[in-house]
Structures are given as structure tokens and as C-alpha cells.
Amino acid sequence: MHRTNTCGELNLNDLGKEVILAGWVQKSRDLGGMTFIDVRDRYGITQLVFNMDEDKDLCAQAREVSREYVIKVTGTVVERSNKNPKIPTGDVELKVSALEVLNPAKLPPFLIEDETDGGDDLRMKYRYLDLRRAPLRNNLILRHKMAQEIRKYLDNQNFLEVETPVLIKSTPEGARDFVVPSRMNPGEFYALPQSPQTFKQLLMVSGFDRYFQIVKCFRDEDLRADRQPEFTQIDCEMAFIEQEDILNIFEGLTTHLFKTVKGLEIGDFPRMSYADAMRLYGSDKPDTRFDMQFVELNEVAKGKGFPVFDNAELVVGINAKNCAHYTRKQLDELTDFIKRPQVGATGMVYCRFNADGTLKSSVDKFYSEEDLKAWSAAFQGEPGDLFLILSGNTDKVRKQLNELRLEMGSRLGLRDKNKFAPLWVIDFPLLEWDEESSRYHAMHHPFTSPKPEDIAMLDTHPGDVRANAYDLVINGTEIGGGSIRIHDRTLQALMLKHLGFSKEEAQKQFGFLMDAFEYGAPPHGGIAFGFDRLVSIFSGLDSIRDVIAFPKNNSGRDVMIDSPSTIADAQMKELSIKTTV
Ligand code: ASP
């Protein structure tokens, strides 16, 4: 027998018991006559004690083991004189009578402790060691719990978990495809799914009615903290429903998770149209943990001879409450922040509402006290407030002010990781203009249904057509999105035409789906949540990397297994492919 108990469970109720434990050496300490070893497994840490006076040989043996050795010990549970209230086993220790080294270990390249000295690269290379650390293990335990609760909730709602294939053809979700050459079909390639979108729609045509899958998706796009080339979605689809049904069921799922996993009652989720989100926050995923909504100032700021504002399409600002005391240096920092290439603004105007009631702006030359009072009224200003104002092209300046708002939120400590602000953003535009290719792209994906009342505008004002599409946002992160789908061949063909597909291309790429629509497709719609992001929000992390057991680095590499890598010439030949590098 390797063990009778885990390293996380012994306590005062076990006093006097003879037990066997097995695990890794967390650390050992030699205190003259006594040697202590902390032994660790998935469940916790137990202190082992060896006494020189009682068993010299055993104590000598204990001194030989180092960090990360795998050991097995037999001993008696005794009460500790020096208790450690921080760990569940902290009241007891194991007086060891026999020690066996099951496997020695090289010294690990970084400390396997909650706070490690290992840099990112090193930890990625030795991910299997990094995963021994409690914070990472806890993230994966949380992930597991969430997956179980998701299955429980969706099963209760009659959803069926159905697997869909991984070797498919392109399902456009706005990214590049990863492709896999087919040996049996020389010159032809599979694409890995950017999502199971078309398959889940086909399952609706098949009558499955409520589908879900916790599923890997693959998108070849530039990586950031919340993006990995392969990631996991909670993917769902439902038939005979309307948008309202989907929002309610998935609000229910999210509420269920907050309750069962975090013990939080999260309340009803507010809803906001895309247009309002852009107008009030400059973002389709606003962080609503704090207010600081945008205030548009065209009426009070233009026409006073200040050319920057006069020439701008939009003058818009935020009220940073109680920041009138900001020093010149702090204001310069903010100006530098908005001038960074990632934000791209050219300048910022500010106006202080001083405690004595006076208003002082950085553009006093152009604006009288009366003018500034009108600004302040727009901001609903109070003494102590600081107004920060940007101007320019509407879309651009909104994005820039969004960055500034988030920065101010962070500086003012308003983005508390333990506070959760969910929000449904609804009524997304159907199409989005892409400068680079000079044509419209589907904002969500090509299967999203336009709002019936807007279809007539497809030809005249395509950019104004709204979709039955929705996103769930939590704390400024897009957690998921979905839409009501087109279930009619003619409308789907029209949509593909508007997206620039020729009839032949549309048939080649999506003929199977349009054909299916001719065999009795029910009205349907769905949603997908980014599971990694949801777990990272629940665990208070900024990056999804540490909620994934084996993630890739920012260049899309797995440095542990060294992938991607070249393949043998013979393999290339077999696949009928040549590279040009
Ligand atoms: N397939 C979509 C996505 O991956 C989600 C959906 O529309 O259900 O974003």
C-alpha cells in the first residue's frame, strides 16, 4: 500500500493513528536534534518529524532527501507543539517510523511555492513542475468544478452534450484557420473549427433542440492575455426559441455558477444596446464595475474659437470624481498615456472643479468661467471633480476615451477583482466595415440573423442593419456571444452575397448548410461562452494562461514540448506538401 491518507487531511481527530503518506518533499529543516520535512500532494501539506535521539539512522536518512523527492513514510499522528493555523493539517505532525524514497529528484529550476522565483519562460518550459504549485492547482480545481456545474445546469435544462468533429472545413469567426493536410486527399486540407457553429446549427435541423458542448476551438490570430490559439468554449444551440429565451437561460447558467462556485448572489443582469455601450463607454464590452460614463460636449464646447474642438466630430469627456487635486505631473502622465501608440490620441484637455467652487481648465484662453460652468453642468460636476476631455473622429475618440476611462478606473481602485458586474450588450450591428479589404464583414458571423425590421436596409444602409446578436460582458471582458440564426436558404444566400461571396464560393463553402435549410430547419439560435475567460474572471486572474493546464506562449509555441516543429521530409512527401522557408 502506498498510502492510507492524503497529505491534506490529518487533524486532531487522528491523534495516535498509524498512517502511511506519500508525496513530494516541499522542504526540509534540520534543527539539530530534530529534522522536519513538509510532504506535499494534491490535497495539502503535512509536517513530518524525525527525532535524532529516538532513531539516529532514520534521522540521517531524512537528512538525505531534498526538495521534490517522492517519498513514502509510515508514522504516528501526534499533536504539534508549534501549531500552524494557516493549513488544515497544522495542528498535527507525523512522527515517522519508516521512510522510503520512491524516486529522487533533480533540484527544480525554480521554487515550487505559492510565490515562485521562476520567470514566465522557465515556468512554461517546466509546466509540469509549475502545476505542482498550489495557485495553479487551485485554478484547475476551480475549472473542473465550474465544468461540472455547467454540465449539471445544462443537463437540468434538457441540453444534450454532443461532440462535433475537429477535422472540418472553414467556419469563419473572424480569424484565420489552422489547417491540416490530408494524406488521403493530396493537395486538400481540413480546417480546424474556429467554433462548431455550422455543426450545432445542423444539429438543430436534425431535431436535437438543445445542444451543448464544452469544446476546443482553434483560431489563428494575434495572441494577447485573454487569447490562446486553442481555447475552450461552452458552446450551445437551441431551437424554437427567441433571443429572450437564450438570454434568460444563460443568465441562469452564469448566476448558477456564481452561486455554486463562489457563493455569490449576483442579481439580474442589466442590458444595454450596442449603440448605448459605444456612446456611454466607447466599448462594446464596458467595465460597469464603475460609472464614469462619457459626457458628450459638442453643444457646449464647439464654436468658441478653439480650433481643436471646432474641427472635431465629437468632443467627449469623463468626470473623474474627486481628482481635482491631480498635480501637473499626474495630468502629464495621463496625457502621455493617451498619446501612446496603442491609444493614439493627440492631446487631452482638462478642467478642474476646485474645492473653492472655481473652474480652471487647460484651455482658459478660449473658454470663460461661464463656458466652463456649462461644461460642468453637462458633467454634473461637483467641487473636487476633474473633467478629462478628448476630441476627434467619433469612433476613434470613443475608443481612446474608453482607454482613458479604464486607466482612471484602475488608478482610482474602481476595478475590484472581487466585484462582478455582468452586462448583456444587445442589438449589435449585423455588419462591420473593414478598411483593409474595403468591404463589410459579419460582425458576429455570417449565420447571424438581421433584425427582420432592418432587412430592407441591407441594400441601402448595410452598416445600420442591426442583428439579433448579443454578448455577455463581465467586468469589461467579453465572456460570450451569440445570435439568432438565419434558418432560410434565401436569406442566408443574400447575407453571403452581402459579405462578398460569389454564388459559387458560397455554394462551395456553405452549400451543405443552405441545403440543410431546405429540409425543414427550425428557427434557432445560440451562444458560446469563452470557458477559459470565465474561469480566469472567477479566479481573479488577468490572463487565461494560468487556468489552462498546458497553454502556449505569446508566439503560439508550446515551449515544453517544443511545438510547432518541422516534420521529416518523408512525412512531408506523404502529405504531398512542400514549404518555401
Ligand atoms: N460560434 C459563435 C462564436 O464562437 C458563438 C455563437 O454564435 O453561438 O463566437
Side-chain angles (χ1 to χ4, degrees), residues 173 195 197 200 219 233 235 444-445 481-483 485 526-528:
E173 295 276 4
S195 80
Q197 185 61 37
K200 64 176 174 176
R219 297 183 190 178
Q233 282 192 345
D235 192 46
H444 190 48
H445 51 55
S483 60
R485 326 296 185 190
I527 193 165

Side-chain angles (χ1 to χ4, degrees), residues 1 60 64 95 249 436 547 578:
M1 196 196 306
E64 292 298 302
K95 206 168 146 219
I249 289 202
E436 217 167 280
V547 301
K578 278 201 186 105

Side-chain angles (χ1 to χ4, degrees), residues 317-454:
I318 47 176
N319 180 353
K321 302 293 294 173
N322 300 315
C323 291
H325 64 275
Y326 264 37
T327 58
R328 187 70 223 205
K329 183 165 164 272
Q330 284 171 301
L331 290 163
D332 285 347
E333 270 170 25
L334 291 179
T335 308
D336 289 345
F337 173 84
I338 53 131
K339 282 186 173 171
R340 295 184 324 165
Q342 300 95 307
V343 183
T346 46
M348 180 184 81
V349 166
Y350 64 83
C351 175
R352 292 195 177 96
F353 195 151
N354 295 316
D356 64 8
T358 57
L359 288 153
K360 181 96 189 98
S361 84
S362 56
V363 283
D364 277 354
K365 215 167 102 189
F366 299 100
Y367 296 93
S368 67
E369 178 93 15
E370 264 332 285
D371 294 332
L372 298 183
K373 276 195 183 138
W375 292 16
S376 177
F379 280 114
Q380 299 186 334
E382 292 170 315
D385 290 353
L386 173 71
F387 314 134
L388 302 173
I389 304 162
L390 303 182
S391 60
N393 161 280
T394 300
D395 290 347
K396 284 195 185 141
V397 75
R398 282 178 172 168
K399 285 198 183 110
Q400 293 158 356
L401 193 60
N402 165 49
E403 298 291 337
L404 182 61
R405 174 180 175 272
L406 294 177
E407 173 68 17
M408 286 309 296
S410 299
R411 282 175 183 242
L412 296 172
L414 302 173
R415 304 177 75 190
D416 178 357
K417 290 212 162 88
N418 295 312
K419 188 174 163 188
F420 298 96
L423 172 75
W424 285 112
V425 179
I426 56 175
D427 297 345
F428 273 82
L430 182 71
L431 304 166
E432 172 176 49
W433 182 254
D434 182 58
E435 289 290 346
E436 217 167 280
S437 55
S438 299
R439 62 182 183 84
Y440 280 106
H441 282 245
M443 188 136 184
H444 190 48
H445 51 55
F447 318 109
T448 294
S449 169
K451 282 194 183 287
E453 63 270 31
D454 289 2

